[in-house]
Structure formats: structure tokens, C-alpha cells
Amino acid sequence: MNGMQEQDITAAASYGRYEKAWAYLNSLQFFRIKLGLATMNKLLEGLGQPQERLRCVHIAGTNGKGSVAITLATLLAEAGFRVGLYTSPHLVDVRERFVIDGVPINKEAFSSQIEALRRLFDQSGLQPTYFECTTLLALNWFAKEQVDVAILETGLGGRLDATNVVTPMVSVITDISRDHEQYLGADIASIAAEKAGIIKPGVPVVFSGRSNGSIEVIEDFAKRLGSRLYLLGRDFRAKGGDGQLNYTGIEGQNWQKLPLGLVGAHQVVNAGLALATLEILAASFPVSPEQIRKGLAKVRWPGRMEYLSIPYQNSSRHILLEGAHNEAGVQALCASLISRETGREIILVWGNMADKHMQEARSTLFALASHIILTQAEKERSATPQALWQSLNPQERNKARRIISVEEALIAALELADSTALICVAGSLHLVGRARNFLSPEAALPA
């Protein structure tokens, strides 16, 4: 057997091992959302409490968590620190959730981690959920790799979220709006109380405070726990537009025309939260003004206001992928389209999860589109094209069609568009992930 054949066999064996590990993780999807920390605490004890060996930043909120997290990770990495980043959900490959210094976990390490966790689950007799398992993997892998800092994004809420087993250096709470009401509450104050659950005694808190009814809740939690609250608009300021940020810091720094790598006016707020967090971390993790400027320009977050240009029929097609999946996210998308794309034909490929209710924001978006293609990213949880069709008003129906297959929906959009139009794919991150994998397969992760 020659060396090339041996390499092929080794690669095949590794691939099979990885597929088995991923299949096992997916099997945990059967165990639905379970709010509470009892299982996490028992399993972390079995792992030797890896979270206690980590210095963390913990981020909660309805919208902007991922943008703040990736911005922080990029800036800290620019300064030479070893940074672990845990986010959810993934777009295409589960390994996107676990990243160190911009590089996702490789298949070998992922497989080893899942296999070790599976043995622990069997020995303990405990049955974690999918998200509990991925959180355990992140904490254990980051500790093993001895990252300088771990940036952790909550999955749902905060108080009972699986990530809420850490005592961070800073807690960050982004914009709060209505989402997951069946778990978090029907009004902003109730949802804010769940998000405030990540606040720990004496640990500083950075908060955007832009939703009515949330500031009083967060202030009350912070005061009771003796945690200093840094509020956008009061303790620091972030202003600007697409592509630029003017930031006035906690200590009075005044930085003008900072570049923003992420698209959308709402990213001004998210970058401001990240910079305020960096100020609080400065004693342990100093980042120079030049590193901040360079880092902000480098920030990228796939599937979030991500523009693609692909060749099609001897010309180009322009696509915008945006994972807007709740009312506030769709409102931000509409604002960006009105600001950046006025006068341009927009062909919308849309599919949302069945439990999402965003009629008003969605109607504003649909009014901007010349064509609407309704599709379905997931059979179990996504609304069917027929159900979406039935919710449309007559004017929307006149420009809409139903195509169940995401890939066929995208092909239909490519056929409708010319080189000047914009194809916008939105409604859920699952849909955006499917679209990105189809339109840009070269973006697949390495082994």
C-alpha cells in the first residue's frame, strides 16, 4: 500500500468518525428546549469544572449578540490574544459554533470532544439537550486549549440558559425585543428579566438600553447585585452610519470615523457595545487604538447582511443574505434596504419558522420587493409556503409564488434577476445557511 492510499484510508476513517459524532449530536435534537442549569452543573462537575479555568465575556440579548461577539473576538485577536468564540446557531456546519482565533474546531477535535461527552452522559445517566451538549463542548475545548478569553453567546434568554454557568469578567446585554415569548414572557419587562439573569454579583454590565421597559429592569438587577451598569447613551456613546462609527468612551475618549466591517446602521450600536466592553477589559486585555481601527475593518459575520456576487448566465447576480428572524431583525433589514438600495429592484426569497409572528415588520419588507418567493428551510419547524401564502394580503399575493425547495426557490430568483437587481434571502438563519451553502459552496469549512 502506498502513502497516498494510506492517506485516503485515514481521511475516510476520520470522515466517518466525524459524521458519527455529528449524527449523535443531532440525535439530541429530540430533547427539546429545557431551561435550567441542574444538568449542566452535574456534567461540568464530571468534566472537572472547565468553566472555572476560563476568563469569559458573557453576552445575552434578542438581537446583536453574534455581532457583538464576533466584533470583540476580532478586536482581541488583532491585539494578539488567543480568543475562543462560542455562538449559535450555525449556518451550514456545526463546527462554526466553536472557534479559536477565527478558526473553527477541526473534525478530529470535534469528534474527540463528542465521544468524551457521550461517555460522560452514559456514565452519569443524564440526558442533556443539543444546546447543553454544544455548550459543554465549547467550555471543555476552550479550557483544554487554554484560550486567553472565551466569548460566550447565550442561546435563549439568560437566567436559565445553559451558558449561564460562568462567572464572567463582563456581562453584555444587547437590544431586547419580543422573541421566544412562550419561554421568556409576553412583554419586554419579562424578557429583560430573563436576559438580566446573566448578571453576576459585582461583575460589570454593558447594556444597549434601547427598548422601552427594559432599562428599569436591568438597572434594578444590577443595583441589587452590586454590579456597575454601563449604559449606551449615558456612560458611552456610539453614532454614525453605514461603514463608520464615532465613539465616545467611558473614560471620555473620542474616536472619529472608525471603520465598520459589518453592514447596517444597527451595527453602530453593536460596535459601541463591543468597544465599551473592551474598555472594561483593558487592564487584562489591552487593545491599542490602531488595533481597534484595524480590527473593526476586518470584522465579518456570515449570513448577517452578507453581500455575495456570483456568476450566472454570462453576467453577475447580487445576493444579500440576512438572518433576520424576528420583528426587530426585519425592521433593521428594512432600514438598511431603504438606506442602501433605494431604486434597486429587490427579489425576496423568504421563509420563517412556524412560531414566529412579525406581520407588521414583514409587510414593510414585502412592500419593498418586486417579487416574493416563499420557501421552507426545515420540514419540522419552518412554516410551509402554503401557510405563508395564506397570511399574505391580496397585493402581496399578486407578486408572490410558492416553491418548497430552497434550491429551486433560489434558482427561480436567479432567473428573475438581472445584473442590477438584488436577491435578498431572509426570514431564518436556517434558510440563510441553506442558501449560502448552495450559492457559495467554496465557503465550506476545512477539515
Side-chain angles (χ1 to χ4, degrees):
M1 183 180 297
N2 62 39
M4 187 65 71
Q5 288 174 318
E6 289 178 350
Q7 288 178 10
D8 290 343
I9 291 172
T10 301
S14 176
Y15 179 83
R17 183 183 175 206
Y18 169 66
E19 291 300 309
K20 287 179 182 178
W22 193 352
Y24 171 74
L25 176 61
N26 284 334
S27 74
L28 301 182
Q29 296 276 19
F30 175 79
F31 303 94
R32 297 294 185 179
I33 293 171
K34 177 181 67 181
L35 297 178
L37 300 176
T39 299
M40 283 294 297
N41 286 325
K42 289 177 182 176
L43 291 170
L44 284 167
E45 184 177 350
L47 290 173
Q49 306 292 7
Q51 79 281 9
E52 295 181 358
R53 304 195 297 276
L54 295 172
R55 293 190 288 180
C56 301
V57 175
H58 197 193
I59 305 174
T62 308
N63 292 90
K65 299 190 299 292
S67 296
V68 174
I70 190 65
T71 300
L72 272 173
T74 304
L75 294 175
L76 288 164
E78 183 68 25
F81 298 106
R82 186 165 167 77
V83 186
L85 175 65
Y86 174 54
T87 58
S88 62
H90 59 275
L91 294 179
V92 178
D93 191 314
V94 68
R95 293 181 295 129
E96 297 167 26
R97 296 174 180 239
F98 321 97
V99 173
I100 295 177
D101 292 347
V103 180
I105 189 171
N106 63 41
K107 291 181 178 180
E108 177 69 23
F110 175 86
S111 302
S112 296
Q113 287 288 329
I114 289 291
E115 289 163 2
L117 288 172
R118 186 173 185 176
R119 289 192 295 271
L120 174 63
F121 303 158
D122 291 342
Q123 292 165 5
S124 67
L126 296 170
Q127 182 56 69
T129 64
Y130 183 104
F131 189 70
E132 286 173 332
C133 184
T134 59
T135 303
L136 290 165
L137 191 160
L139 296 172
N140 202 44
W141 185 54
F142 291 158
K144 178 178 179 293
E145 293 294 320
Q146 298 181 323
V147 298
D148 295 317
V149 59
I151 299 169
L152 309 174
E153 176 192 356
T154 60
L156 179 66
R159 180 175 65 95
L160 299 176
D161 188 79
T163 60
N164 201 27
V165 291
V166 300
T167 300
M169 302 176 72
V170 185
S171 301
V172 183
I173 302 177
T174 65
D175 285 352
I176 296 173
S177 60
R178 288 183 174 84
D179 200 7
H180 301 295
E181 292 95 332
Q182 66 271 42
Y183 299 106
L184 305 180
D187 56 70
I188 294 295
S190 299
I191 296 170
E194 291 296 324
K195 309 290 186 185
I198 71 166
I199 301 174
K200 301 297 191 302
V203 174
V205 185
V206 175
F207 179 40
S208 73
R210 296 203 304 164
S211 50
N212 292 331
S214 64
I215 295 178
E216 296 82 3
V217 174
I218 303 300
E219 283 184 326
D220 180 62
F221 270 78
K223 184 176 180 181
R224 286 192 282 113
L225 293 170
S227 301
R228 173 71 187 274
L229 176 63
Y230 296 91
L231 187 63
L232 176 67
R234 184 189 70 187
D235 301 295
F236 61 98
R237 289 172 173 78
K239 296 183 179 181
D242 269 4
Q244 283 194 341
L245 166 67
N246 299 325
Y247 177 75
T248 302
I250 295 168
E251 300 297 329
Q253 307 95 321
N254 193 343
W255 294 338
Q256 298 294 309
K257 296 184 179 180
L258 293 171
L260 291 181
L262 295 182
V263 174
H266 56 290
Q267 295 299 349
V268 170
V269 170
N270 296 328
L273 295 175
L275 291 179
T277 303
L278 277 187
E279 287 194 71
I280 297 168
L281 295 171
S284 299
F285 300 105
V287 183
S288 72
E290 185 60 24
Q291 289 165 339
I292 287 173
R293 189 171 291 275
K294 287 182 178 179
L296 284 173
K298 292 179 180 179
V299 178
R300 299 291 184 272
W301 193 219
R304 286 77 167 182
M305 291 300 293
E306 180 183 17
Y307 282 84
L308 302 176
S309 181
I310 64 170
Y312 190 77
Q313 294 184 346
N314 299 318
S315 63
S316 295
R317 296 293 183 270
H318 304 286
I319 299 105
L320 171 61
L321 303 177
E322 168 49 42
H325 59 281
N326 56 34
E327 186 175 9
V330 175
Q331 288 171 346
L333 170 59
C334 290
S336 291
L337 289 174
I338 292 169
S339 171
R340 296 172 59 91
E341 308 295 349
T342 298
R344 190 175 193 181
E345 181 184 20
I346 295 172
I347 297 165
L348 179 65
V349 179
W350 176 271
N352 59 257
M353 308 306 282
D355 62 347
K356 299 294 182 180
H357 306 287
M358 42 185 160
Q359 192 71 29
E360 184 177 345
R362 194 187 69 178
S363 294
T364 302
L365 177 61
F366 285 7
L368 297 174
S370 60
H371 299 275
I372 302 166
I373 302 174
L374 305 172
T375 189
Q376 184 177 12
E378 280 192 339
K379 288 186 178 180
E380 285 189 14
R381 295 187 296 156
S382 296
T384 65
Q386 180 60 28
L388 292 170
W389 170 268
Q390 290 173 344
S391 71
L392 301 183
N393 63 42
Q395 186 175 359
E396 292 167 342
R397 287 186 183 182
N398 286 337
K399 55 182 178 180
R401 66 172 77 175
R402 294 154 283 182
I403 303 177
I404 293 176
S405 163
V406 172
E407 290 74 20
E408 290 178 8
L410 293 168
I411 291 171
L414 291 169
E415 291 287 340
L416 284 168
D418 60 21
S419 60
T420 65
L422 179 68
I423 299 170
C424 178
V425 183
S428 84
L429 284 165
H430 297 284
L431 172 60
V432 165
R434 288 274 299 273
R436 194 170 192 268
N437 192 44
F438 179 74
L439 296 168
S440 185
E442 70 277 5
L445 300 186

